[in-house]
Amino acid sequence: MLNFPKSTEFNKRIPKQKFYENIAVTPAMKKAFVEQIRIIYWRNKIAATTLNLAAGGQVTEIEVFEVRLSAPELDESVLRQIDREIPYHILFLLEYEGKYCAVIGYKEAAAGKTAFKVDRYYSTDWLDEDDLPVHLEGLTLDAVYENFVRQIAGDALGTGESTSLKDSVEQQKQREQLEKQIAALEAKIRKEKQPKKKFEMVQKLNGMKGEQERKK
């Protein structure tokens, strides 16, 4: 898929029950797998053994999973469950009625670096497969993974020319938090009746909006 080199092709169907047969999986999680997913294919394996790439310090393999859906929505908890079961980085290609949505989790090493935890997911719009902004770029697996995340996240992470992926994600979190604080303060201002208090709140709001502009 995605015109990745033939050497990376795996094309193996994975029984979806593999991801929910664990006794720790809740009935709601099992229901989501059964009702929302039709088929899961392991399409590609991107690794030093399948491509002329250097192994990464964090990323040793990137698996490409095609997940065919029964409806155009998939609970994020389902992706997290698959990510928990597979000890590698995963690029998900969700398919519904011929359209595709690329999804990837920003993963960080957990304690001891023996496992990874997903911090957050990024996704594209629903597009034709050929229009997905996902391209194999980089000389190491770390670089390929970072480029996948940036390609899929788009403007959300900025240009990243001089910022690490970790810092870009952290800056996005700060922007989102500031947006929430601004929205909450604007709601308070609309309800405030006392002119003096309202003036003070507007001054604070202007300062926060200035900070927001600087963080863009």
Side-chain angles (χ1 to χ4, degrees):
M1 300 194 73
L2 297 174
N3 293 317
F4 288 162
K6 198 165 184 63
S7 60
T8 69
E9 289 181 5
F10 201 67
N11 293 327
K12 179 181 178 183
R13 183 171 175 174
I14 305 176
K16 59 184 180 182
Q17 59 266 29
K18 171 182 172 61
F19 298 107
Y20 61 75
E21 60 191 4
N22 188 320
I23 57 172
V25 172
T26 64
M29 175 75 73
K30 181 177 179 180
K31 186 179 182 204
F33 267 94
V34 171
E35 294 183 354
Q36 297 178 16
I37 293 178
R38 293 193 298 115
I39 309 170
I40 301 175
Y41 289 104
W42 185 350
R43 289 299 189 193
N44 302 81
K45 174 181 173 179
I46 299 170
T49 55
T50 63
L51 280 176
N52 186 25
L53 288 173
Q58 295 288 330
V59 184
T60 55
E61 286 185 20
I62 304 170
E63 319 304 348
V64 182
F65 284 4
E66 179 186 1
V67 183
R68 297 188 179 177
L69 304 181
S70 303
E73 291 184 1
L74 179 65
D75 288 353
E76 186 178 290
S77 60
V78 171
L79 295 180
R80 288 185 180 276
Q81 178 61 24
I82 295 174
D83 261 314
R84 269 193 292 270
E85 296 291 329
I86 304 293
Y88 299 110
H89 293 71
I90 304 174
L91 166 61
F92 294 99
L93 299 176
L94 309 184
E95 185 275 341
Y96 179 69
E97 295 188 345
K99 295 288 186 179
Y100 285 85
C101 171
V103 183
I104 195 165
Y106 170 65
K107 283 186 168 183
E108 291 187 333
K113 293 190 176 182
T114 56
F116 293 91
K117 60 183 177 67
V118 176
D119 184 293
R120 57 175 49 203
Y121 285 97
Y122 295 97
S123 62
T124 66
D125 294 329
W126 287 97
L127 302 164
D128 291 332
E129 184 188 342
D130 291 342
D131 293 332
L132 289 170
V134 182
H135 311 287
L136 201 54
E137 296 175 355
L139 299 177
T140 69
L141 283 161
D142 283 352
V144 170
Y145 166 70
E146 174 169 343
N147 284 324
F148 280 165
V149 175
R150 291 192 182 279
Q151 290 162 6
I152 291 170
D155 293 341
L157 289 180
T159 61
E161 291 178 358
S162 58
T163 309
S164 70
L165 180 58
K166 181 180 178 66
D167 286 344
S168 292
V169 171
E170 189 57 40
Q171 287 167 12
Q172 185 203 9
K173 286 183 191 174
Q174 292 172 5
R175 288 193 298 269
E176 289 175 352
Q177 183 63 29
L178 188 56
E179 284 171 11
K180 288 179 184 176
Q181 292 171 348
I182 287 172
L185 185 54
E186 286 175 335
K188 284 183 179 179
I189 289 171
R190 286 194 293 272
K191 294 176 182 176
E192 183 55 56
K193 303 299 183 187
Q194 296 182 30
K196 185 179 177 183
K197 255 191 174 179
K198 194 163 192 169
F199 176 77
E200 290 171 350
M201 291 164 74
V202 168
Q203 293 297 101
K204 183 178 179 182
L205 178 65
N206 289 338
M208 291 168 70
K209 285 187 172 180
E211 183 183 354
Q212 185 181 42
E213 282 298 313
R214 290 191 294 274
K215 287 181 179 292
K216 283 184 178 178

